[in-house]
Structures are given as structure tokens and as C-alpha cells.
Amino acid sequence: MKARKIRKTRKKVVALSGALAVLGVVGTATAFGDGTGDRQHVEVHGDRVTVPVTGGHTTVDTASLAVRAQADDGRGWQLSAPAADGLGPAGKVSVRGSEATWRYPSTGFTVTAAARDGRLAVSVRSDRDTTLNWPVTGVDPATRELQIPRGEGLSVPVADRWWNSPKAGLAGSEAGLSDGLTMPFWGTSLAGRHGSSYIAESDIGSTLTFASTGGRLRTEARHTFSAREDTGDYKITFALTDGSPVAAARDYRAWLLGHGGITTLRAKIAANPAVGKLVGAFHAYTWGQARTAEGVRRLRDLGIDRMWLGYDADGSPMDEQAVALAERSGYLVGPYDSWANAQDPDSADTPVSKWPSPVWPDACVRDADGKPVTGFGGRGCYVSSEALRRAEPSKHYLADRTREMTANGADSYFLDVDAAGELFTDRSPAHPMTRAQDRRNRLERMAGLSGDRKLVLGSESAGSWANGVVSFSHGSGTPVTDGLWALERDRATWGGYAPAGAPGVYFKPVHLPDDIAKAMYDPRYRVPLYQTVLHDSVISTERWELSWSKLPDQSRTRALLAMLYNVPLNLVLDQSELDRHGEQIAALQRYFEPLHQAAATLPMTDFRRLTPDSLVQRTTFGDGTLTVTANFSTATHDGLPGGCVDAVLKGGKARRMCPPGL
């Protein structure tokens, strides 16, 4: 019987990996695909290919790959400017049902435009290794905002002077669609309740560049075609939306649901009831006394009956007594681990980088010259997931590692990096690997932890493709700007790794510079894209080094955002932290718990800005099971004071909270 269950689990992993290989991503959702496009034919008029879509039609110019939209109400706008590259003359268009195909003989591209699930689906194949810079979006003069899933999500006014400036850190930057963004889509909003959604089905090998031209932001996607990397196909879908700041996220959720790419929390709880302990729980990494049974009792005495407690890999895990008490209290306990780095065991600076010989250096990812690829922070090397996969049947490195890390009875696990999408090409003859294979390997081993091992699994900034194998994600709630990384490297300001019991890097309060604070936490630009797509699948928090009290100036805003989005706060705890903020943490958790219990397993079904300044916002979950209104301003709006949040459970009265600042 056990062997049969394992085979079923493996079949699920294979099916998931197969979908990933075909689609490039795995995830959830749908809102605009009603299938009407599949029942209509494309039309060709000279060098114009017209494709029906939900809400109107689109026209592709075969000479340049420019794309225009025409809505049913007569409104027209440009979905993409011409490709930034020279395509060469286009060949004759051939039409078959809902597809039109043509070639660019001089550059080796073959393009197919099709009506699929109410969207325009464009597939580009190359017969040589090359790049294509397309689509070029946000160029229509009527475009007002750009939505990007950086962390939880941003909606940026394209003509805003600050967002176009170097201070914002957006213009001139680029993000990988498989790793730089949490989900491989973006969107635009126009005046008059119109907008566009773009989904990169082929996210591996694709990037999104942000540029400022004439004081206006635009985006340019780029795909690298490589036979070695198996990225010879590039697939993009275009959809017409209602222009809501979360409309593109709804479209992506629709696309994911249409491709079988969501695993709900309800399904995860049914497979492993321990996942249910995440519902209503805040998350916290523990230090010093907080890792002991005494620390657990103190949390209980504060009235906190739900918590995820993690501990760093510093050689001092929670002991069996503390873990047992935590689990009897309804808490989850999990170690931090990473399978991505290896160092020389004689000089490794962290236990998680020490592996049995000969992982170091035989399992290192190798570059084209055969040299090990240096690991994160210039330490050791990145470990090849393919090398570990091949070694596992005989060496059991991962199984032994997991057994050791959970020997204290831990029922949860945080596996850093695996779900974040940082993928590698391995040129080692002993374990060659493409980035697509790397992702399949990571999915398989995460599925082993959350499936066969029944551990409540989390990872860093989990991409939508990983939602089937993780239940929580630390970091996907944070729209990080590059300026944050520079600030964190400034140890004098940010704090270092001392003292051992409460390192400053986690506990020292920091006042963010204005530009970083604005780029990350100004509620006027924050939109719940991740929650619109994945709220009922993955419980998302902010990054672990950005605990609630780490940034005192943003503490009230972050608490309001957590309640508005129905997501837990992520904390770091030691004795002094509980001395200073324990009562506030407990009050926040008690307010959050019943709201999360009501809505954690439901989709976020609506998000609205209620005022012209966008500082009063409302979310809805399910069919109105929970409605939350947050006022980020200083003025009262419709009876809700500034700095407060009202939550209404269906059929009940508003529950108000006005979190104090730190």
C-alpha cells in the first residue's frame, strides 16, 4: 500500500513537471477566458491578422508584430508597439481555423497567432539561437498605470515623475519572468474602464525591462531562444480587461485555472491536516528564550493560540520539549534549511552548507568553462539539483538531511530558495541540466517534503509555478526595490550577525530612506496581485529579515496591509521583543485569527480603491464571506478613522482595529 501511494505521488509530480515543461509555468486562475475565441476564425487582410478575443478583437501587423486592440464599445488602443528588433520581410500568411501562421525567413522566426480561451495567443519559434525584444507594451498614450507582480504587486502611474526617475529604481531595471517577478504576467490600465493583460507562458528565458521614454514608463519583454536551454518556443497571450488594477491578475488566475495549475489550501489540508494549523497563525523566527519551552509558554500566556515558529540553522534548534509543547499548543514548528549552497566543510560559515563528501565540490553547478558557479554572497558554490537528484537513490543526501533537521519532532519545513525561481544551467558532464530541468527537480523534491513526508512546507518568495507543493511563502509579500539590498549590506545601519542571541540584522530597528519606503510601502501604489491569484492556495508573508518591528515607521501601514490582504505578519522573537511588543503582537493576532479562519481558503474576489487618492481600499473574499476596508490616510472616510481597518464577516457587524505605530 505504501509503495502504491508513493507511485501515485510520483505520478502527480511527473504530471506537474510535464505541465511545466509544456507551459513554462504552473499556478492558478481565470476571469476573461470564456472560450468564445475558439469558436471564431481569424481573418487576414493583407499584412493584418485579426483575432477575436473576449470583449473585442485584436489585430497583428505581420510586418512588425505591432498589435492593436478594438473593444466591443469601439475603443481602440495599442497592445504592443512593433518588435524592437528587425524581423525582416514577412512571408505569406496561412490560415487554419483559429490560427494564422507566417515566417520571417531572413531571421528564422515562425509566428502563430491564434484565438484561444478568449485571448490572443502568439507563439514564436526560432530555428536558431537568437533573441526577440517583444512585446513592447504601455506605449499607447491612453495608458495610465502599469501593474507588475513585484512581490505582492504594484500599480504604477506611467507618467508619474518620481516613478520615472532614478530614485524609484524602476526605469532602466529588468526582471526575469521566472525569478524576478513572483508571477509571469503584467498589465496596463487605460482611462475609461479598459486595460490589457500579458502572460508569458514561456517564462524561462524571458525578461521584462522597464524603460522611461518622454517621461512615461513602458515595458519591453525579451526572450532568448536557445537550443541548449530548450527555449526555442516563446508564447505570449494578450487579453482585454476592464482596467481594474488587479484585472491582469484575475486574467492570470483564469489562465492558471484553465491549465489545471492551482492546488487549493483546502486540498492541501485534506491531504495533510497539519496544514490547517497555518490558518489564523502569525509567523515568527525565534531566538534565545523564544526557542525554549518557556518561550512557548510565554506566547500562550499572551493569548496567542496559533503560530508558525521557525528557527535559523545556527546549530541551536528548538529542542524536543519546546517542539512538543508548541505542537500541543496548536503551533507549527519548522527549521530553516537550504539545499542550494555547498562550501568546504572545513571552513563553511553555516551548517546548511556542509554536506557529506563528495558533494563539495563534485555537485557544484559548473559553467561553460567547467568552473564551479560561485554561491550566494560569494560563498562556496551553487549546488546542482540534478547532481543531488542523481545521487539520491544511493546516497540519500536529502532524505538524511531532512530526517536530521526534523529529529526534534518538527512538523513544518522552510526550504529557502527552491520555490523562488532562481534556476541554473549546469554544464557539468557528470550532471548536465537546463533551467527547465532544474525547476522540475525542485518541484519533485519539494513535493517529496510536502507529500511523502507530510511536512507543512514553505519556501522563499514562492513563484506561482510552485503553488502545488508549498503551503506558505516568506517574501512574496514584499515588493523589494534594489535599494533595499544596498541598505542591508550597510551593516552599520542595518545591523550585523551579533549578538548571537538577537542579531542586529533582524532586531535592530531601521528607518528606511524615503525613496525605498515609497517604492515598497506607499499604499497608493500597492495592489494585491499575488492575493488575487493565489490567496486560496499559498499563505504569503513578507521577508524574514523585514519583521514587523524592524521597520517602525511602516509598522502601522504594514499591519493594515496584512489585515486588508488577509495575510499573516512575519516576526522575529526573543525575550526582549516580547517585553517590548508582546501585547501588541497578541492583539494583532487575536484580531487576525477569526478573519483568516473565515477566508484563508477562499479566493480574493475583489479589490477597490474607494477614494481618488487611493488611500482607502477594500477587499472582498469569496462571495462576500469577508470584506475588509483599510484607511491609510489621516482623515476619516465614511465613518472609518484614518489609520484604522474595518472587517465584516458576512451577516455580522464591523470589527475595527486601529493599530498603534511603534
Side-chain angles (χ1 to χ4, degrees):
M1 178 65 102
K2 183 177 180 181
R4 184 180 303 168
K5 289 182 179 178
I6 292 173
R7 283 196 296 272
K8 287 182 179 179
T9 300
R10 288 175 178 165
K11 287 180 181 178
K12 290 179 181 178
V13 172
V14 170
L16 184 59
S17 301
L20 189 59
V22 172
L23 305 173
V25 289
V26 175
T28 37
T30 194
F32 297 98
D34 62 2
T36 57
D38 287 336
R39 297 194 297 271
Q40 302 178 47
H41 295 288
V42 301
E43 297 180 359
V44 179
H45 303 281
D47 58 1
R48 300 290 193 269
V49 176
T50 300
V51 180
V53 297
T54 299
H57 64 267
T58 59
T59 301
V60 183
D61 180 356
T62 63
S64 66
L65 283 184
V67 186
R68 284 196 61 81
Q70 185 82 29
D72 287 338
D73 64 4
R75 177 71 178 275
W77 68 97
Q78 194 162 23
L79 289 174
S80 174
D85 316 282
L87 297 168
K92 183 179 179 181
V93 180
S94 63
V95 178
R96 183 177 180 183
S98 62
E99 293 187 354
T101 301
W102 64 96
R103 279 182 48 79
Y104 300 95
S106 63
T107 51
F109 294 118
T110 300
V111 178
T112 298
R116 193 172 72 221
D117 298 326
R119 301 178 182 85
L120 164 65
V122 178
S123 175
V124 183
R125 171 168 287 189
S126 177
D127 62 10
R128 64 199 70 172
D129 288 359
T130 186
T131 61
L132 176 65
N133 291 284
W134 179 86
V136 180
T137 62
V139 294
D140 192 282
T143 303
R144 289 190 172 181
E145 293 189 11
L146 165 67
Q147 291 88 35
I148 48 176
R150 175 191 277 183
E152 177 58 58
L154 298 172
S155 188
V156 177
V158 298
D160 184 272
R161 181 177 299 177
W162 182 83
W163 277 106
N164 280 271
S165 74
K167 293 180 179 180
L170 184 61
S173 69
E174 73 172 28
L177 284 163
S178 64
D179 56 359
L181 302 178
T182 50
M183 299 170 285
F185 74 87
W186 65 101
T188 59
S189 297
L190 287 73
R193 296 184 60 81
H194 288 288
S196 313
S197 168
Y198 308 87
I199 299 171
E201 296 187 7
S202 309
D203 59 335
I204 294 177
S206 301
T207 60
L208 192 65
T209 298
F210 305 93
S212 176
T213 304
R216 291 176 62 86
L217 288 166
R218 62 179 178 82
T219 60
E220 184 176 299
R222 182 176 71 251
H223 184 75
T224 300
F225 297 86
S226 169
R228 181 188 293 272
E229 281 291 328
D230 195 23
T231 56
D233 289 297
Y234 178 38
K235 299 177 182 179
I236 294 282
T237 70
F238 303 73
L240 311 189
T241 73
D242 63 8
S244 158
V246 295
R250 290 184 190 137
D251 181 49
Y252 180 59
R253 177 176 171 86
W255 184 89
L256 287 168
L257 283 175
H259 290 80
I262 185 171
T263 304
T264 65
L265 277 169
R266 285 179 176 172
K268 294 169 186 176
I269 292 169
N272 179 10
V275 174
K277 292 183 179 181
L278 289 171
V279 177
F282 278 5
H283 295 225
Y285 283 90
T286 56
W287 303 81
Q289 185 203 50
R291 290 187 185 178
T292 67
E294 181 182 355
V296 174
R297 280 191 287 269
R298 187 168 184 189
L299 290 172
R300 290 175 53 186
D301 290 344
L302 284 167
I304 297 174
D305 60 2
R306 288 286 175 127
M307 205 71 162
W308 180 91
L309 298 177
Y311 48 89
D312 203 7
D314 57 5
S316 301
M318 292 183 73
D319 61 27
E320 292 183 18
Q321 181 183 6
V323 171
L325 180 59
E327 293 180 354
R328 288 199 302 272
S329 302
Y331 301 172
L332 285 165
V333 175
Y336 165 95
D337 196 7
S338 174
W339 297 347
N341 185 266
Q343 300 179 43
D344 185 336
D346 294 334
S347 57
D349 58 12
T350 172
V352 300
S353 294
K354 294 181 179 180
W355 293 87
S357 178
V359 172
W360 169 267
D362 289 5
C364 293
V365 172
R366 302 278 171 169
D367 63 19
D369 296 324
K371 297 179 180 178
V373 176
T374 303
F376 178 77
R379 300 148 53 246
C381 73
Y382 284 107
V383 179
S384 169
S385 65
E386 180 67 9
L388 293 180
R389 185 189 71 82
R390 295 185 182 202
E392 190 63 14
S394 60
K395 299 298 184 181
H396 315 301
Y397 295 132
L398 304 184
D400 290 347
R401 176 75 159 255
T402 306
R403 191 178 303 110
E404 178 184 354
M405 296 291 277
T406 58
N408 59 356
D411 53 0
S412 184
Y413 213 86
F414 181 81
L415 186 62
D416 200 9
V417 180
D418 258 35
E422 186 178 22
L423 306 171
F424 294 94
T425 300
D426 189 353
R427 300 292 178 82
S428 168
H431 37 77
M433 176 180 71
T434 64
R435 283 177 288 175
Q437 181 62 48
D438 190 10
R439 184 152 67 180
R440 287 193 291 269
N441 293 341
R442 292 167 189 261
L443 277 169
E444 183 173 7
R445 66 197 197 183
M446 286 190 286
L449 290 173
S450 59
D452 294 344
R453 292 299 305 268
K454 298 292 185 183
L455 292 167
V456 180
L457 182 65
S459 189
E460 175 189 4
S461 299
S464 52
W465 54 270
N467 83 81
V469 293
V470 300
S471 295
F472 65 95
S473 170
H474 291 168
S476 49
T478 308
V480 173
T481 182
D482 285 347
L484 179 69
W485 306 133
L487 183 63
E488 290 189 4
R489 289 191 293 269
D490 178 1
R491 295 303 186 200
T493 300
W494 192 262
Y497 286 93
V505 69
Y506 299 111
F507 287 93
K508 181 182 179 181
V510 171
H511 299 280
L512 290 179
D514 290 344
D515 290 325
I516 295 177
K518 185 173 183 178
M520 292 176 58
Y521 291 114
D522 192 322
R524 292 176 295 173
Y525 312 117
R526 292 286 299 263
V527 289
L529 302 182
Y530 197 89
Q531 297 312 310
T532 297
V533 178
L534 293 175
H535 183 267
D536 57 345
S537 174
V538 178
I539 292 174
S540 170
T541 76
E542 289 214 60
R543 295 182 60 81
W544 52 91
E545 82 274 23
L546 299 177
S547 66
W548 177 62
S549 62
K550 178 74 176 180
L551 308 175
D553 298 341
Q554 286 74 43
S555 59
R556 179 182 286 112
T557 293
R558 295 171 77 195
L560 291 175
L561 284 168
M563 303 307 155
L564 180 67
Y565 294 172
N566 197 232
V567 297
L569 291 174
N570 205 357
L571 316 166
V572 292
L573 298 178
D574 72 342
Q575 183 174 351
S576 61
E577 178 73 4
L578 288 174
D579 288 343
R580 292 190 300 266
H581 306 306
E583 294 293 341
Q584 291 168 292
I585 290 170
L588 288 167
Q589 193 274 333
R590 287 194 295 270
Y591 181 84
F592 171 76
E593 183 175 343
L595 308 182
H596 204 226
Q597 287 177 332
T601 61
L602 301 176
M604 179 185 282
T605 50
D606 195 26
F607 167 78
R608 298 186 184 187
R609 297 159 167 165
L610 303 183
T611 54
D613 63 6
S614 300
L615 290 177
V616 183
Q617 302 174 10
R618 177 171 293 160
T619 54
T620 304
F621 301 86
D623 61 353
T625 298
L626 173 66
T627 302
V628 185
T629 306
N631 186 347
F632 296 96
S633 75
T634 57
T636 297
H637 172 79
D638 197 21
L640 179 62
C644 296
V645 60
D646 273 353
V648 179
L649 292 171
K650 197 170 189 177
K653 297 181 179 179
R655 307 180 185 192
R656 179 165 296 172
M657 183 187 69
C658 302
L662 296 179

